[in-house]
Structures are given as structure tokens and as C-alpha cells.
Amino acid sequence: MAVPVFCNSCLCEPRSPTPLFSLTSCGHIFCEICLQKGKKDECLICKTACRTLVLSKEISPDIQSLFMGVEVLCKKYSKEITQVSEFQEKHRKHLLAYRKQKIAKLEESLKKVTQQMQQIQCMKPPEKTTPLLFSSASRNPFSIPSRKQNVSSSYYLHSSRPSTSETMEAMEIDPVPSPMRKV
């Protein structure tokens, strides 16, 4: 049911022959008789400056919607809202599918790289795990290893090629200076 139109001044409704009704920019409706009684470009109700638009079937849809029943507007806009919602949902799903596919590819690449790293680590000889801070050579590189310590066992704990400090540790150093050496 459309909103009934009536003059905001004399409260008359459209009848046959239908007088023209006008809508003011301030939101009031007047019949052509009352509109002629007032001042030009001034509203009869609120006395503000305004423009008028003759109501007809040729007015813009935005103005026409002001006179439609609420149930008609609800149906019209719910259909438009449903179309917009379906459109946006379709594009969200498309984007989500793309991102899921990208994540799957990245996870696969990560898995391959992890496997490659594990294979490389299995092929490498074990690296030195004991820091030099705890060895006797780090305290004094010229210290004499104790006779109780098995010098050759330290080679198995470390890499196949002994470091300089390990070599010095394995060497027996004579604490007494040689007569040939100047001290």
C-alpha cells in the first residue's frame, strides 16, 4: 500500500480532477492551490527558503521511493541486498580457495626443504659440540696433559682433523728449557 499523499497545509487528498501536488526541499507536500497562496520559494509550514518539485510519475526513483509502502521497499531492497551478498560471498570464496591453494603449496615446499635439510644433516659428520672453554687447553695452551688422560680418545670426540689447541694438548712439552733455546 502506497503512502497516502495529502497537502500539509489544507490536508486535502488527491481527487478527480487531481490537483497537482508539489514536494518542497524541506520535506513538505502542498497542493497547487495552497502553493499559490504562499510566498514564492518559501515553505508555508516552516517558513524556510525552499525549492519545489511537482510530483508525477516522471520524478526520480529516489523521490518515488518516499511514497512507496514499506513492505514494497523491503521486498525491493531485500532482493538487491541478497544479490549484493551473493556476489560478495562468491568473491570471498574465490579468494579463500586461492589462499588455501597457496598455503598448501607453501607447506609442500616447506616439507621438501625440511626433508632436504634432514638429509644434509645425516650426511655431515657431527660437529664439535663441546666448547673449548671446558678443555684444559683453553685455560693454558702450554699445559702438560696428565698421563692418566688418554690423549687419542679426544680425537674421536671431535672432527677428524684436530684443531691447533688439540694438537698442542696431545704433544708432550718439556717444562725444562733446552740449553739451545734462549729464554
Side-chain angles (χ1 to χ4, degrees), residues 124-130 152-164 166-167:
K124 283 174 105 179
E127 293 184 18
K128 188 189 287 189
T129 56
T130 55
S152 62
S153 68
S154 68
Y155 292 119
Y156 294 112
L157 295 174
H158 304 296
S159 64
S160 59
R161 189 171 183 187
S163 67
T164 307
E166 290 171 334
T167 306

Side-chain angles (χ1 to χ4, degrees), residues 1-38:
M1 177 177 179
V3 173
V5 177
F6 60 91
C7 177
N8 291 161
S9 179
C10 69
L11 303 177
C12 74
E13 294 179 13
R15 58 190 177 274
S16 285
T18 305
L20 294 175
F21 280 77
S22 296
L23 174 67
T24 64
S25 56
C26 58
H28 293 106
I29 300 171
F30 298 105
C31 67
E32 63 183 335
I33 297 167
C34 290
L35 197 60
Q36 291 173 359
K37 291 179 188 175

Side-chain angles (χ1 to χ4, degrees), residues 18 25 34 36 38-39 63 69 86 96 110 125 127 134 172 179:
T18 305
S25 56
C34 290
Q36 291 173 359
K39 293 181 182 175
I63 302 289
E86 288 172 355
L96 182 63
L110 178 64
E127 293 184 18
F134 299 114
E172 291 190 25

Side-chain angles (χ1 to χ4, degrees), residues 111-126:
K111 186 177 177 182
K112 286 178 183 178
V113 169
T114 303
Q115 289 174 348
Q116 290 173 351
M117 287 177 59
Q118 288 173 349
Q119 289 174 352
I120 290 171
Q121 287 177 348
C122 290
M123 294 166 54
K124 283 174 105 179

